[in-house]
Amino acid sequence: MRANLDLIWYKVYAELSAEAARTFLGILWWLIEPVLYMSVFYLIFGVLFQRGGEDFVYFLLIGLVVWKWFDSAIRSGMVSLQTNAAVIQQVYQPKYIFPVIVVLINTAKFLLVLLLLLLFLLISGKPVSITWLALLPLIGVQFVLIVGITSVCATVIPFVPDLKLVVDNGLTMLFFLSGVFFDISAVPEHFQVWLRLNPMAVLIDSYRSVLLLGQMPDWGHLFWVLLCSCVLMVAAVRVFNRNDRIYPKLV
Amino acid sequence: MEGKKLILSLKNTGLFYKRKTGLLRHDKFWALRDVSFDLFHGETLGIIGKNGVGKSTVLRLIAGIMAPDLGEVIRHEPLRASLLALQVGVIPHLTGRQNAILGGLLLGLRRSEVEALLPQIIEFSELGDFVDQPVRSYSMGMKARLGFSVALYADPDILLVDEVLGVGDADFREKSANALREISRSNKTVVIVSHNNGVIRNLCDRVVWIENGHTQGAGPTDAVLEQYQQAHTTAVTSDSQAPGKAALVAGDMQSQA
């Protein structure tokens, strides 16, 4: 177990430094890329369509940063057994470490961008509220959610590779349903109930309450997200353990 | 093998891979059907057979990477077996040193253990200052030297060697062959897979011969090799293209020597 942890941390460090070594600007790309990504959406929705009020930039940025962590981690983590096929066929390692490594890499990048976002809020004169402390449990819940979904997908995709396409398209759909561009609370009641079944909608809404409105998130909702994520994680660990020595034949 | 301790047994093991044969259709390709043999502490066991008879799959069973679909693999004590895989998980943009640490961790060592072994690994690999250069700037030979050194010093309970003696330049081939010879003479347990009889004869105490997924023979090296060669000579003489085949084997020997 401790050797596994050593491997996980070193691999995260190694992949990140390899990524930085691959380009001229290296580590700067972890900032440039999200800034580019966010400017595209800001141009379209903030400038072109004139959506939202004066706080729309912050509103949109929070949604995008939080979503991007979820989206990139799942997209690359769900195929992590395939991307590590050569390793899996040459040495024995418990398979859960591969999606976890990908999620950690994406988490490191997210934290960097989040820091940038907080700085931006400070510079723009947004008041720092005590509710910012609620970011810690929020990040924790979202991390568990991402690990849960990524691991479950990673356990199934070697058996049913088609699931990758389903998840890819599902993520695109969820992107538009998670309230990245709109305020869930502004949607008619009877739709809201359904939209809030989506854990990312709950999370994005919570980040906004905490950072922009100085309100504590809805802990009850978050607790449900956490519970479901834990169930997913336990399920993934069980499938991984049962098929630990089958995966090398499949990837 | 009287007096030697039995550490691992394969009992009637079979293993299949699934092959896609059409829309929603699969069939089973049996790489191994009925393979049985014992492995004793401290011996060097050779596994011979033609290409594609599942020799590498046998190593994966021993290493615990895969589980058999038929029969069982019995470990008589807890074992850390690792394949002497030359380039496990190499990341080209990282330095040789970073890749050595990563390789050691993948082979199951703790971070502190790898760090302690690094000077010896680097020394044996003869990479010198190159060890702090990115691996993508290495020649094939240099990569192979690094991989071999890591696997060697990772020091598993069972060292599994899969046709890797043809790597690197002539000097390093000599050195790695010597290192293997030394290990096989020592009290280490080694399993070597090869279709090169010279390598097997040189290093192994005992040989298992696998044909069509079945154990065809097992026993002292010379006896089994003789049977194997007889079976093959008959096959070659009955083959009208015997000279071509002989040349191929000779070419093989050269690249492996």
Side-chain angles (χ1 to χ4, degrees):
Chain A
M1 185 65 203
R2 307 194 61 171
N4 290 342
L5 281 179
D6 279 3
L7 174 61
I8 290 174
W9 286 120
Y10 197 77
K11 184 102 158 102
V12 169
Y13 155 78
E15 296 272 351
L16 283 171
S17 31
E19 221 180 289
R22 239 189 315 260
T23 50
F24 275 122
L25 296 177
I27 196 167
L28 279 180
W29 274 109
W30 300 339
L31 297 176
I32 300 170
E33 206 238 319
V35 168
L36 287 176
Y37 166 84
M38 291 186 285
S39 343
V40 171
F41 288 99
Y42 177 65
L43 273 178
I44 296 173
F45 293 97
V47 179
L48 235 55
F49 289 163
Q50 303 268 326
R51 289 288 309 268
E54 52 180 307
D55 266 0
F56 186 67
V57 188
Y58 314 116
F59 179 88
L60 182 66
L61 288 187
I62 293 171
L64 285 172
V65 167
V66 171
W67 173 264
K68 187 128 202 289
W69 177 25
F70 180 79
D71 184 87
S72 331
I74 294 178
R75 279 185 207 268
S76 47
M78 67 179 169
V79 288
S80 52
L81 292 193
Q82 279 85 342
T83 30
N84 287 288
V87 171
I88 287 174
Q89 288 170 348
Q90 286 187 76
V91 290
Y92 171 74
Q93 287 292 342
K95 305 301 172 282
Y96 76 89
I97 67 167
F98 297 100
V100 168
I101 287 168
V102 175
V103 173
L104 285 172
I105 289 171
N106 282 282
T107 305
K109 292 183 189 170
F110 160 74
L111 289 177
L112 194 69
V113 178
L114 181 71
L115 210 64
L116 199 70
L117 180 72
L118 293 183
L119 272 176
F120 180 65
L121 287 175
L122 280 177
I123 293 168
S124 324
K126 289 270 145 206
V128 180
S129 144
I130 185 80
T131 56
W132 283 31
L133 281 178
L135 276 180
L136 293 175
L138 273 181
I139 292 171
V141 171
Q142 192 179 354
F143 179 78
V144 180
L145 174 73
I146 295 175
V147 172
I149 296 181
T150 310
S151 309
V152 164
C153 294
T155 57
V156 181
I157 287 178
F159 292 102
V160 190
D162 316 54
L163 180 67
K164 177 187 179 296
L165 299 172
V166 176
V167 175
D168 268 333
N169 287 292
L171 278 173
T172 307
M173 195 176 78
L174 211 58
F175 176 52
F176 292 100
L177 290 176
S178 296
V180 175
F181 308 109
F182 59 89
D183 185 358
I184 288 241
S185 324
V187 175
E189 266 322 309
H190 56 285
F191 286 131
Q192 260 191 54
V193 184
W194 293 104
L195 287 178
R196 284 189 196 278
L197 286 178
N198 165 11
M200 278 311 286
V202 174
L203 277 165
I204 291 176
D205 201 38
S206 307
Y207 278 98
R208 283 175 183 150
S209 316
V210 165
L211 288 174
L212 296 179
L213 308 175
Q215 288 169 3
M216 280 297 178
D218 182 340
W219 296 114
H221 261 110
L222 284 174
F223 176 75
W224 276 110
V225 174
L226 184 65
L227 200 70
C228 296
S229 313
C230 288
V231 171
L232 285 180
M233 243 164 60
V234 171
V237 168
R238 296 193 67 154
V239 181
F240 269 141
N241 283 344
R242 181 173 302 169
N243 299 300
D244 216 17
R245 291 163 211 275
I246 306 284
Y247 287 115
K249 288 166 54 174
L250 303 173
V251 293
Chain B
M1 280 285 133
E2 299 87 33
K4 291 253 185 182
K5 200 164 67 165
L6 183 62
I7 53 175
L8 182 136
S9 317
L10 269 70
K11 289 219 186 309
N12 308 101
T13 50
L15 185 141
F16 65 81
Y17 296 96
K18 268 191 185 151
R19 283 187 307 198
K20 198 170 161 65
T21 51
L23 188 66
L24 297 175
R25 276 169 194 274
H26 291 278
D27 72 350
K28 292 174 178 177
F29 163 68
W30 287 90
L32 303 177
R33 289 171 189 279
D34 183 7
V35 171
S36 308
F37 61 84
D38 292 324
L39 183 64
F40 295 90
H41 178 77
E43 73 170 334
T44 301
L45 181 76
I47 298 176
I48 52 169
K50 282 182 293 190
N51 276 334
V53 294
K55 298 192 298 284
S56 302
T57 304
V58 170
L59 289 193
R60 289 184 179 144
L61 284 180
I62 298 176
I65 295 170
M66 293 178 181
D69 297 298
L70 293 175
E72 54 183 333
V73 178
I74 304 165
R75 279 155 226 281
H76 300 282
E77 55 189 78
L79 293 169
R80 189 165 63 88
S82 50
L83 265 156
L84 198 150
L86 288 181
Q87 285 158 42
V88 188
V90 168
I91 301 180
H93 282 84
L94 295 185
T95 66
R97 189 186 298 272
Q98 289 169 318
N99 270 301
I101 296 175
L102 192 57
L105 290 171
L106 280 168
L107 291 175
L109 297 181
R110 297 292 314 270
R111 174 82 186 265
S112 51
E113 293 171 316
V114 195
E115 303 264 5
L117 288 169
L118 265 185
Q120 289 155 277
I121 293 174
I122 294 168
E123 163 91 31
F124 189 87
S125 70
E126 297 172 9
L127 284 170
D129 293 340
F130 257 100
V131 79
D132 290 308
Q133 296 295 316
V135 167
R136 84 196 134 91
S137 66
Y138 286 19
S139 66
M140 284 302 286
M142 290 164 79
K143 282 186 212 165
R145 266 146 58 185
L146 182 66
F148 187 92
S149 312
V150 172
L152 192 64
Y153 283 97
D155 198 29
D157 302 313
I158 307 177
L159 184 65
L160 307 171
V161 185
D162 191 357
E163 309 261 16
V164 289
L165 300 176
V167 296
D169 50 56
D171 280 349
F172 192 77
R173 275 211 294 271
E174 178 71 32
K175 188 171 164 182
S176 51
N178 281 337
L180 271 186
R181 211 164 292 137
E182 209 168 289
I183 296 170
S184 62
R185 272 197 224 113
S186 76
N187 214 20
K188 278 247 147 259
T189 315
V190 184
V191 180
I192 298 177
V193 152
S194 182
H195 52 242
N196 180 337
N197 296 344
V199 171
I200 298 277
R201 197 186 302 279
N202 246 324
L203 297 176
C204 299
D205 309 316
R206 237 161 34 95
V207 169
V208 173
W209 167 21
I210 297 176
E211 194 86 47
N212 297 323
H214 296 266
T215 345
Q216 193 79 17
T221 306
D222 290 331
V224 178
L225 275 184
E226 198 171 320
Q227 282 176 13
Y228 177 71
Q229 263 155 349
Q230 261 169 11
H232 269 248
T233 330
T234 352
V236 170
T237 39
S238 66
D239 190 334
S240 57
Q241 291 183 327
K245 199 158 195 172
L248 197 78
V249 173
D252 236 4
M253 298 287 267
Q254 216 163 35
S255 69
Q256 298 263 332

